[in-house]
Amino acid sequence: MLRLMLSGSATPAGTAGCMSRFTGSVSGDHFTQHGGLWLSSIGLGTYLGEPTEEDDAAYEAAIRAAVGSGCNVIDTAINYRFQRSERCIGKALGDLVAAGDLRRSEIVVATKGGFIPFDGGYPSDPGAWVVDNLVLPGVIEVDEIVAECHCMSPAYIDLQLETSLKNLSLERVDIYYLHNPETQLAATGREEFLRRLTAAFTLLERKAAAGKLTLYGTATWDGFRRAPGSPDHLELAEILEAAESAAEAAGSARHHFGAIQLPLNLAMPEALIAPTQRIRGGGRRAPLLEAAHEAGLLVMGSASILQGHLPPRIPAEIAKRIPGGSSAVHKAIQWARSAPGLCTALVGMKSAEHALENMALATDPRMSPDQHAALISRRD
């Protein structure tokens, strides 16, 4: 069924209105302000699941439950469940807006592009699908694909973004990430990677000028956590320089690179403690969260419960020292969402039951910086 495209984007007034609607039913520190927007400390992720109508319906129910419980951050990617996660978000948000339960200006929607997503399910011949849908139409050149699954050429990212907007039924996405760009770095070398990155950023600057996105950024898995010198290490200072060059090439007065996503959980704490990044202007090394704060960037943490694998592994003595929450899942989310410098901890929510369980933590305050610091020592 054809759905109307929702116009507009998240706004300061809209997200403040969302926050005020939950005053008294969530903790006073559940929402964090960044760039004028108020974002919930727990965001809904849409990675896991099968490409089935059953999982589609479950995700739509999860979105309605989470939004109704004080979540106003939704994260996805075009390749999640073969584009079906984006389409579920589009349907659920459209239904909520049509019912008068939500305004577009209240919700922050982020998606990603870079991986080859296929459409609706896994094709019988993936190689032929890529040739027929991407190579022969002239969208990509074969040598722009790395690891048989990733491309970030401007023409390809342009197609990805436009397809995502259609899937989401949105005229504008609030955050658009290049998805795991370190996949390219490991295959091409740093000089060629930075050239490709700048070209992709230039396209995204033009999309920002056209009103198709508010911010763009990088959503990574390994890149920002790797030690300097590693083949897939991402240097934030170099990425910001690429954004500045892209803005100049696109004729933008300033760049629109404004967001980072990376894993942060008790088993993967590097963003908080490992000095992987060079602070611009000073040369000293600092953890990603500190470097991002210095640059004024919004940071979202992925894999807060490590796709469900982390909670059973939390030592009892650690769980006891994490205040708030009523379950091991809550303890894992609580630690992640309380990390200094993190705006939102993303949690996969594939059912209304999971969404309600996870969002119950929003009634508890986050950990204080001292409580958080006491649980983990910073590496020198």
Side-chain angles (χ1 to χ4, degrees), residues 1-343:
M1 185 175 74
L2 183 65
R3 297 193 300 269
L4 293 177
M5 302 287 281
L6 297 180
S7 61
S9 61
T11 66
T15 55
C18 178
M19 177 178 63
S20 67
R21 194 165 68 251
F22 290 97
T23 299
S25 60
V26 300
S27 172
D29 63 357
H30 172 55
F31 288 89
T32 298
Q33 189 176 38
H34 185 94
L37 301 179
W38 290 94
L39 295 88
S40 55
S41 66
I42 303 170
L44 186 149
T46 58
Y47 172 56
L48 296 179
E50 299 300 321
T52 62
E53 292 184 3
E54 180 181 6
D55 277 8
D56 290 348
Y59 262 120
E60 290 167 24
I63 292 165
R64 290 191 293 270
V67 169
S69 303
C71 172
N72 78 331
V73 177
I74 298 178
D75 180 82
T76 191
I78 192 170
N79 62 301
Y80 289 175
R81 297 191 319 114
F82 306 99
Q83 304 189 47
R84 297 176 77 125
S85 285
E86 286 189 330
R87 291 166 184 162
C88 289
I89 292 167
K91 184 176 186 306
L93 294 184
D95 289 348
L96 286 166
V97 170
D101 297 326
L102 181 73
R103 292 179 295 170
R104 170 65 184 97
S105 60
E106 296 176 337
I107 196 96
V108 175
V109 181
T111 193
K112 318 175 188 74
F115 287 106
I116 294 172
F118 302 124
D119 190 350
Y122 204 76
S124 58
D125 188 337
W129 189 96
V130 171
V131 170
D132 292 343
N133 290 276
L134 299 173
V135 177
L136 291 180
V139 176
I140 60 177
E141 301 289 337
V142 172
D143 62 2
E144 293 171 334
I145 302 174
V146 305
E148 300 183 343
C149 65
H150 194 277
C151 179
M152 62 181 196
S153 69
Y156 181 65
I157 294 301
D158 191 359
L159 175 64
Q160 293 264 278
L161 173 57
E162 292 296 335
T163 304
S164 288
L165 291 171
K166 181 179 178 181
N167 288 341
L168 292 162
S169 297
L170 299 179
E171 291 186 353
R172 177 188 294 189
V173 69
D174 301 296
I175 305 171
Y176 190 80
Y177 297 108
L178 287 186
H179 200 175
N180 289 13
E182 64 267 38
T183 309
Q184 295 272 329
L185 174 58
T188 66
R190 194 161 297 273
E191 183 177 351
E192 174 61 13
F193 167 74
L194 290 173
R195 187 196 68 77
R196 293 187 180 194
L197 187 73
T198 303
F201 283 179
T202 301
L203 179 277
L204 294 175
E205 289 290 346
R206 292 181 175 133
K207 289 295 184 180
K212 297 301 181 75
L213 61 91
T214 301
L215 298 176
Y216 66 89
T218 50
T220 76
W221 188 254
D222 291 323
F224 286 126
R225 301 186 302 113
R226 296 294 197 206
S230 300
D232 55 354
H233 166 72
L234 291 178
E235 190 69 57
L236 180 58
E238 290 181 337
I239 290 175
L240 290 170
E241 289 169 4
E244 291 164 358
S245 296
E248 183 178 357
S252 301
R254 60 174 182 84
H255 70 76
H256 293 79
F257 184 96
I260 287 172
Q261 185 184 129
L262 79 166
L264 181 63
N265 57 58
L266 277 163
M268 303 168 74
E270 294 89 350
L272 180 66
I273 65 172
T276 64
Q277 301 300 316
R278 172 172 52 86
I279 299 294
R280 298 180 81 188
R284 68 180 178 88
R285 288 279 169 185
L288 183 280
L289 280 170
E290 182 179 340
H293 176 75
E294 291 283 335
L297 303 176
L298 183 157
V299 184
M300 294 195 186
S302 61
S304 299
I305 61 173
L306 204 55
Q307 299 171 11
H309 299 297
L310 178 61
R313 296 162 49 191
I314 300 175
E317 62 271 22
I318 296 296
K320 288 178 182 177
R321 296 170 63 189
I322 298 176
S326 59
S327 66
V329 170
H330 280 174
K331 299 297 184 181
I333 299 171
Q334 178 74 318
W335 186 90
R337 74 174 185 139
S338 303
L342 191 79
C343 183

Side-chain angles (χ1 to χ4, degrees), residues 359-374:
M359 291 307 300
L361 181 61
T363 62
D364 291 337
R366 304 190 203 196
M367 299 169 66
S368 72
D370 287 344
Q371 289 172 325
H372 202 274

